[in-house]
Amino acid sequence: MLVGDSGVGKTCLLVRFKDGAFLAGTFISTVGIDFRNKVLDVDGMKVKLQIWDTAGQERFRSVTQAYYRDAHALLLLYDVTNKASFDNIQAWLTEIQEHAQHNVVLMLLGNKVDSAQEHVVKREDGEKLAKEYGLPFMETSAKTGLNVDLAFLAIAKELKQRTMKASSEPHFRLHEYVKREGRGAFCCRP
Amino acid sequence: MSRVPAQSPHTAPQMSRVPAQSPHTADDSSHCGAQKLSAESRFIAQPYGSAGCELAPGRFRTRVFGKRQPRSPASAPEEEQTPELGPPSASGPPDPALGPIPRLPGTPAPIPRPALAGAPAAQGAALEGGRRSRSCCSVELYSGAFLLCCRLDPYGFERPEDFDYAAYEEFFSTYLVILTRRAIKWSKLLKGSSRVQTSMTVKRYIRKGVPLEHRARVWMGVSGAQAQMDRNPGYYHRLLQGERNDSLEEAIRTDMNRTFPDNVNFRRGADPCLQKTLYNVLLAHGRHNRGVGYCQGMNFIAGYLILITKNEEESFWLLDALVGRILPDYYSPAMLGLKTDQEVLGELVRTKLPAVAALMDGHGVLWTLVVSRWFICLFVDILPVETVLRIWDCLFNEGSKIIFRVALTLIKQHQAFILEATSFADVCEKFKEITRGRFVTECHTFMQKIFSEPGSLPMTTITRLRERCRAKLLAQG
């Protein structure tokens, strides 16, 4: 499930992951809650992700809350060019603690890292907050695709591991994987 | 290729269809420009002007019309006996009873509402493609005027790449006859009266569709918006000059580029750009109804109101009529009315279509997941534009019960299809699919169905269910 303030790019991130596309100026505000499916190949095994995209406006939380408790994973987004969206992360985390399963897979993403606008939220700010709450963290760009597939793949790997109890494969560590595989905003621009 | 429907030889110019060029190459969506058209038909071709609009090389959303199917011979019957169709006598300038059309602030010139039926000025008019035109339009100008083969629909929405023009035209050739008949009847009904009175006749007429040229006036009349506007002169403009509220303004601004990016009039570069109009309407409403402020979804509703009324202040009063009177509290921060009505729909389905209710329960699909947008957006961007407008005709006149009628009809009509679902994801997907295709595009038949398919739906039942569901929700906290 994708959560975060209005306009941080939740739908764009999902469409980038689902269709590999970013079409500026074609996105509409998400109203209520939307649903998409994607099948991923995780180490030779098909994992079906049911992804819920939610409206960011605060009042819709009461509508989307019902789905928190069933979510296995949450991607919490903020916009690196919008300080308020970062400041609200704490409120989102409170919301999540209150309504989601206690062992829900949670990841913090700082989106729009491609933007030419000033990055008012520095990478270090995101890292610091993530560390404080023990969350895996990456900066992403739905526009360039930076770390987008990786974020969903990491979630899928983690969920697969949880489902396959007696696994002979080496233990998957979400934090380390994200840290190792995640790319910086400037090293991989086309 | 002649595109003139045989039934109405007087209505349409000879048309030819030029294949659309690749949208990737075009940056000018004023391709429907028709220099020789009269003012009213020019409105239709270029509703608000559309200079230099970027065209996205693909679409995020699609309004898909299903593949061509054989037409049922009994489609869209009309109950009333009407006189033989001839050239409409009421063509020409708009009914003087309509009065002067107020101007949109910031609009250089008033945009006349389309003249009633016939649009003779357009007959034989040479339709000249705009500069570097992407596609030329074959135009059928008639009451409500539709551009059948244009990449843009009459409201400025781009048609999806896979839009089935042939199937739409097949439907439209039938619908055109109905539109003609309705236009004649409406012009007689409204002749000489400055106000739309509510009556059984008006109700019957509205259910059969309000012609585009009368739509704004009828909506204003039956919803009480006109009365409110008359009682409060200058109020709208005072709201716009009111006290600043940063969070309200920011919330509205966030949605400006995310409201109808597929409509040429709402793009940032459009001239005049309706984003400003939309912003003003939403801002004024947020200041007027502080308990609600701004709720996402209202942007789409206000957008349609602006496209139909072409008037900022009227759009504001119509939005107020919807949010403040016609709909329960869908948009207030607690959204209790929305949650209640979703439950009410669930209860109605449980009674009328128990197999569907069992399916939902079986897969653990909450109604909010599949229908919240239906309620919040009043079917905007869910059903085809023309169908939404027909639904709104009745919504303004008969109230929120209409939403249940539409929802129940969609579900009942596709019951067997929905019941094929074998998983949670399937159920969600089916609920998206039932809002597309021939059934919902053929708006006239669809509107007849909503009054027959769901069966009896007395207001007392709705009220009772609302009370019960509301109490249950409140008890849950």
Side-chain angles (χ1 to χ4, degrees):
Chain A
M1 185 160 173
L2 293 153
V3 293
D5 273 11
S6 182
V8 297
K10 296 179 290 296
T11 305
C12 296
L13 194 87
L14 178 52
V15 169
R16 162 59 81 175
F17 169 64
K18 176 114 194 345
D19 306 326
F22 179 85
L23 302 166
T26 60
F27 292 95
I28 60 163
S29 334
T30 305
V31 173
I33 182 162
D34 199 10
F35 173 88
R36 279 161 218 251
N37 250 337
K38 170 122 176 170
V39 179
L40 266 190
D41 193 310
V42 182
D43 309 322
M45 191 185 163
K46 295 230 178 304
V47 175
K48 191 171 176 183
L49 295 178
Q50 296 180 358
I51 309 164
W52 294 330
D53 186 15
T54 61
Q57 203 180 8
E58 193 171 348
R59 66 188 70 188
F60 282 98
R61 287 184 207 175
S62 63
V63 176
T64 54
Q65 260 166 16
Y67 280 88
Y68 274 38
R69 63 166 187 267
D70 294 328
H72 298 130
L74 294 169
L75 287 176
L76 176 53
L77 275 80
Y78 66 87
D79 167 1
V80 299
T81 67
N82 178 349
K83 182 76 164 58
S85 74
F86 182 70
D87 294 340
N88 279 336
I89 289 293
Q90 304 238 2
W92 279 106
L93 287 167
T94 310
E95 176 88 8
I96 289 164
Q97 269 167 6
E98 201 172 319
H99 298 283
Q101 294 173 22
H102 70 283
N103 62 344
V104 68
V105 181
L106 187 56
M107 190 184 285
L108 181 67
L109 300 176
N111 193 33
K112 302 198 191 176
V113 77
D114 60 89
S115 172
Q117 283 181 49
E118 194 197 348
H119 292 194
V120 289
V121 185
K122 302 281 176 252
R123 186 191 168 86
E124 299 77 50
D125 302 334
E127 279 171 346
K128 191 168 160 239
L129 185 74
K131 203 169 173 189
E132 202 175 306
Y133 287 91
L135 307 174
F137 167 74
M138 277 190 290
E139 287 196 320
T140 56
S141 163
K143 191 169 181 180
T144 67
L146 178 78
N147 291 336
V148 175
D149 288 357
L150 179 67
F152 286 95
L153 183 64
I155 297 275
K157 278 176 181 271
E158 176 70 20
L159 292 177
K160 181 194 153 209
Q161 172 171 272
R162 290 185 180 197
T163 318
M164 318 285 292
K165 291 208 169 90
S167 177
S168 55
E169 292 164 29
H171 193 71
F172 174 71
R173 290 173 202 285
L174 180 61
H175 279 77
E176 287 170 24
Y177 179 75
V178 163
K179 210 165 225 172
R180 189 175 69 241
E181 301 288 322
R183 294 192 281 182
F186 301 104
C187 68
C188 45
R189 278 198 166 164
Chain B
M1 182 178 4
S2 170
R3 303 241 152 222
V4 182
Q7 300 94 317
S8 51
H10 59 278
T11 59
Q14 278 295 110
M15 284 167 289
S16 64
R17 185 152 90 182
V18 179
Q21 291 165 12
S22 164
H24 299 250
T25 56
D27 62 354
D28 181 352
S29 33
S30 62
H31 51 281
C32 298
Q35 294 167 13
K36 294 186 183 174
L37 296 187
S38 64
E40 52 270 50
S41 38
R42 190 158 56 244
F43 158 73
I44 291 141
Q46 272 186 291
Y48 295 92
S50 52
C53 296
E54 185 189 324
L55 188 73
R59 296 174 49 78
F60 175 51
R61 300 162 299 142
T62 47
R63 280 192 189 80
V64 181
F65 181 47
K67 293 290 170 222
R68 188 175 193 164
Q69 292 165 15
R71 183 164 37 141
S72 117
S75 67
E78 279 272 86
E79 298 148 35
E80 283 172 69
Q81 292 300 309
T82 46
E84 198 178 309
L85 286 179
S89 54
S91 60
D95 190 335
L98 285 174
I101 312 295
R103 285 170 62 164
L104 289 179
T107 308
I111 311 158
R113 287 183 181 141
L116 199 63
Q123 289 197 25
L127 293 177
E128 297 178 1
R131 290 167 290 119
R132 289 177 291 152
S133 72
R134 170 154 33 96
S135 63
C136 190
C137 309
S138 15
V139 179
E140 257 184 60
L141 288 166
Y142 199 71
S143 162
F146 289 71
L147 305 180
L148 279 191
C149 303
C150 185
R151 284 272 299 146
L152 295 182
D153 77 4
Y155 309 97
F157 288 100
E158 260 173 36
R159 292 194 157 127
E161 307 253 310
D162 54 354
F163 186 79
D164 189 341
Y165 290 94
Y168 190 75
E169 195 165 317
E170 191 179 304
F171 147 69
F172 195 77
S173 62
T174 311
Y175 191 40
L176 193 60
V177 181
I178 297 160
L179 285 175
T180 312
R181 190 182 304 159
R182 301 320 308 164
I184 295 166
K185 289 196 163 272
W186 271 97
S187 66
K188 279 183 190 156
L189 180 77
L190 295 175
K191 211 166 200 119
S193 70
S194 59
R195 291 263 166 177
V196 181
Q197 306 287 343
T198 47
S199 69
M200 286 311 286
T201 308
V202 169
K203 182 174 171 180
R204 198 177 76 238
Y205 270 46
I206 288 176
R207 286 186 174 193
K208 291 178 183 182
V210 182
L212 179 60
E213 62 269 27
H214 298 311
R215 197 160 251 149
R217 177 185 172 194
V218 172
W219 288 1
M220 289 294 290
V222 298
S223 68
Q226 185 68 52
Q228 283 291 327
M229 190 165 107
D230 294 346
R231 266 199 295 275
N232 298 283
Y235 177 69
Y236 173 73
H237 294 282
R238 286 198 298 279
L239 283 172
L240 284 181
Q241 287 147 15
E243 206 179 309
R244 291 199 54 154
N245 175 341
D246 287 345
S247 64
L248 174 69
E249 288 166 36
E250 182 58 33
I252 296 170
R253 210 174 291 118
T254 306
D255 282 339
M256 283 303 105
N257 285 324
R258 307 195 296 169
T259 308
F260 305 138
D262 59 341
N263 188 302
V264 292
N265 309 300
F266 282 95
R267 297 217 181 110
R268 207 174 347 203
D271 179 31
C273 177
L274 292 186
Q275 283 193 3
K276 181 65 184 159
T277 313
L278 178 65
Y279 180 82
N280 285 348
V281 171
L282 293 172
L283 181 68
H285 187 270
R287 288 172 177 173
H288 162 70
N289 189 336
R290 287 165 192 264
V292 170
Y294 171 66
C295 177
Q296 288 183 312
M298 280 163 44
N299 51 330
F300 299 117
I301 294 171
Y304 265 37
L305 295 174
I306 292 164
L307 286 173
I308 295 304
T309 62
K310 297 175 281 297
N311 180 295
E312 223 179 274
E313 189 172 1
E314 288 181 6
S315 300
F316 163 79
W317 287 109
L318 283 170
L319 184 63
D320 173 56
L322 282 171
V323 176
R325 294 193 298 279
I326 295 171
L327 303 170
D329 53 342
Y330 285 178
Y331 307 97
S332 61
M335 304 191 103
L336 190 58
L338 169 74
K339 287 187 261 182
T340 302
D341 274 9
Q342 288 173 170
E343 294 303 312
V344 170
L345 178 64
E347 290 301 314
L348 291 169
V349 171
R350 200 173 297 286
T351 314
K352 291 174 183 284
L353 305 158
V356 175
L359 178 85
M360 300 288 281
D361 292 343
H363 292 291
V365 184
L366 301 179
W367 282 101
T368 184
L369 185 60
V370 286
V371 300
S372 57
R373 280 182 66 215
W374 295 8
F375 286 95
I376 300 169
C377 299
L378 304 175
F379 302 102
V380 171
D381 211 52
I382 291 157
L383 297 178
V385 182
E386 208 54 42
T387 310
V388 175
L389 296 173
R390 289 287 304 268
I391 293 167
W392 286 21
D393 288 345
C394 298
L395 179 69
F396 278 115
N397 190 44
E398 298 182 46
S400 57
K401 195 170 82 169
I402 295 298
I403 303 169
F404 294 111
R405 287 204 164 276
V406 173
L408 286 169
T409 304
L410 284 170
I411 297 167
K412 187 175 179 191
Q413 177 75 20
H414 299 95
Q415 181 170 207
F417 174 74
I418 293 169
L419 292 176
E420 286 168 15
T422 55
S423 67
F424 180 98
D426 252 7
V427 176
C428 298
E429 194 48 46
K430 301 264 184 215
F431 268 85
K432 279 185 188 169
E433 281 178 35
I434 63 171
T435 61
R436 301 171 192 147
R438 180 188 165 91
F439 180 66
V440 294
T441 303
E442 299 190 348
C443 55
H444 195 69
T445 320
F446 181 82
M447 290 307 288
Q448 289 172 333
K449 293 254 182 192
I450 75 161
F451 293 107
S452 59
E453 285 292 302
S456 157
L457 196 63
M459 200 57 214
T460 46
T461 306
I462 304 270
T463 309
R464 187 168 42 82
L465 283 173
R466 275 179 172 157
E467 279 165 10
R468 201 202 298 163
C469 292
R470 199 178 183 94
K472 205 167 128 194
L473 284 164
L474 286 170
Q476 286 167 0

